Amino acid sequence: MEFKFDEKEEAFCQEVESFLKSALPSDWAEKNITWPGGYGSLGFLGDDALEILARYRKMLIEKGWNTISWPKEYGGREYTYVEQAIFDERTSYFRAPNIDVIAGGMVAPTILRVGTEAQKKKWIPRIAAGEITMWLGYSEPNAGSDLAAIQTTAVQDGDEYVINGQKVWSSMAQTSDYAWLIVRTDPTAPRHKSASFFLVETKSPGITIRPLQTILGNYHYNEVFFDNVRVPAENLVGEKNHGFYHLMTALDFERVILVGIGGFKRVFEELVAQVKQTKRDGVLLSKNQSVRHKLARIATEIEAGYMLVWRTAEMLDRGLSPSVESSALKLVATELSRKMAEVAMDIFGPYSLIEEDTGFTPFRGLAPRGYLDCISATIGAGTSEIQRNIIAYRGLGLPRA
Amino acid sequence: MNLDFSEEQRILRKSAKDFFTRESPELLIRDMRKHETGHDVELWKKMADLGWLGVIIPEEYGGTGGTFMFLAVILEAMGEACLPGPFFSTAVLGANAILLAGTEEQKKTLLPQIAEGKQVFALALSDPGNGNVYNKTKTLAKQNGSEYVIDGEKHFVENALVADKIICLAQVEDKNGRKRGLTLFLVDSKTPGLEIRPFQTLAYERHCQVVFHGLRLGEKAVLGKTGKAGPALEALLERAAVAKCAEMLGAAHVAFDTTVAYAKERVQFGRPIGSFQAVQHHLANMAVDVDCMKYLTYQAAWRISEGLPAGKEAAMAKAYAGEAAARVTRFSHQVHGAIAFCDEHNMHFYYRKVRAAGLTFGDSEYHLEKVARSLGL
């Protein structure tokens, strides 16, 4: 056993860290208000945020770090899963924006695995160059946790498909170039053998996007309506009617590498620092045993989360299937998002309610933001209940209900 | 990063599992709980022959020279077998106390005896009503020239009844009543003035009340140096806590595996109860608990093996494992239903074992406090 980075991993860690320091403003992390595990933070950045994001994105793509998981022959870096996990840990610790996670991190690896040569030629260089961004068209009003119940259809018409239906909870569809869309292509087949993936240009005629306001007040996800949207048949990726099988691979990947464990550590460090300088009834909160133990529990669970990150990545590197570990990781991390928010609300008492900077706002107002945002953590990318189901079926081999 | 056992550790793990399956197929504790001393001498000899009693004792002192991780591997297997007996008090507490505090001469004399299975040890730390703070012990060793006279009382001295030697923590006071500091004493269990009374406990562990009535000891009975036991004691407690985690991990793992298997075969309402989501989610939560306690424990054990500071990691492991193992066995019982409330079922041994391990060498509250301190709170 070796619970530490080897020299190569250590050097990579340093490399990522110095890149982040050069690519983001020095006060970025301390001003950033993202809550780990949550989805509600985008759109709450300062006036110069778009400029900073564009610059960071450009530098990241120049470095080739949007393609770290790809094979070398397609311009990727072919990093190990442990290295990808290090990248995710460091970037989330510095609260760096997630750039091209969908196109570069999920769609491109799927195209590389199941796409045709022509598709690889068409899409991969453009994704690598950061020319296009993507959004996920998975959930529908009647297909949330039960994704196989999707009703949006694509019907072939010559060398085109015609798409009708509706998607929902599609993050950043309003600002991204292409949909990575799963739709039903054979309505008569069994549910799991009836769907296919398409790449659909967002500005295609017939697509209407309605942004939905989250409980944090921002616009992150959308409803998207498809009314006779015509897509070239060559945009069907992978095997026709095998979409759900391709999806399982992409979802696993999302749970493993995109947990953002460093973000938990970072916000916890800030919480601890705040507790050390905040008094209640004249006594420092850090002297209060109940507060101390609440924080010690969170620290312990963050450590357990880290263990699961390394364990899962390391198993993948060795070609093993982390069936329990990857879902356990998603479950532990997102439940931690909730627990940490609850602890922050508890320990600052009524001061936890203050959202704006008053001069006496503790924890930069992160407690109420976390309290709201953590709701999304245990729901997005598979609810906690779905993770427990996966552990039960796939990990423990229990019979299905 | 590499979170897997080495080849050597894998082999040890397998041979330990095989050994306990062979030697204790029906759980030795079932018979041994009624045994007078709780010490199976035949098994003890076999474990000595396998080199397990001296697993962390360096070769120069007659041991096999393994790291702490090797000890953890054996303890995990013992937890799986719910094994009773004085292994923990001897090979973990005794051997580590001597390694950490003993003089070269003491190591040369005592450690080979442990490795060969010739001496059973017990450790006497807790005063009456003591929680986890040992530096205020009221057990006094009055120094008079080269002689010490010990008066005091210790609780939870496991295996004192079968021990050849009891290592006892006392505060030394010189003739003028000045405190000279915490000191560990090696006490021969036959020394006059020693009163040992066993009491029954939840997990059938042989805890004893030990009273020192003006016990007279010579200079040689001091383990290491007079008044200097503090740092060794701290390191010893850290190792003991992680060792308990390894036991709990093994026990919780078996309880969990048994429960998953039972959920697949037990049929109610015409289908296996493991197909009900309410049961599945209990089992999924247990899987997460077992996984988290596993890597927190291994990380702490690895740090001790490497000689790295492990205070924070050990405290996290013990705080988490104590609660997680209790949850896992509690829900193992829940899923089994009434059948495991029968004495003839084995589950209750694990339910007992993990609670006992969780409460010794620092309960979760105590270790959470240590974690809090490590955060600078």
Side-chain angles (χ1 to χ4, degrees), chain B residues 87-164:
Chain B
F87 183 88
F88 198 94
S89 68
T90 305
V92 181
L93 301 177
N96 274 303
I98 296 161
L99 280 167
L100 290 162
T103 63
E104 186 59 29
E105 197 192 330
Q106 285 166 332
K107 289 179 195 170
K108 273 189 185 144
T109 325
L110 297 167
L111 292 173
Q113 293 180 358
I114 289 181
E116 289 163 24
K118 287 181 181 156
Q119 296 254 307
V120 170
F121 274 72
L123 183 67
L125 296 180
S126 288
D127 285 2
N130 218 167
N132 299 290
V133 180
Y134 300 111
N135 54 8
K136 293 186 178 128
T137 182
K138 291 198 173 62
T139 304
L140 274 190
K142 288 201 180 115
Q143 194 176 9
N144 189 0
S146 62
E147 191 187 57
Y148 295 86
V149 181
I150 302 189
D151 280 286
E153 181 176 343
K154 295 288 184 187
H155 288 178
F156 300 102
V157 186
E158 199 189 352
N159 300 314
L161 210 56
V162 291
D164 301 287

Side-chain angles (χ1 to χ4, degrees), chain A residues 196-233:
Chain A
S196 308
F197 268 111
F198 285 89
L199 279 163
V200 185
E201 196 168 4
T202 314
K203 62 182 185 199
S204 304
I207 290 183
T208 312
I209 294 181
R210 192 170 82 89
L212 297 163
Q213 195 172 21
T214 73
I215 59 173
L216 282 103
N218 67 334
Y219 290 90
H220 173 79
Y221 49 42
N222 303 271
E223 277 183 304
V224 186
F225 302 91
F226 295 81
D227 180 15
N228 287 315
V229 177
R230 302 189 81 86
V231 186

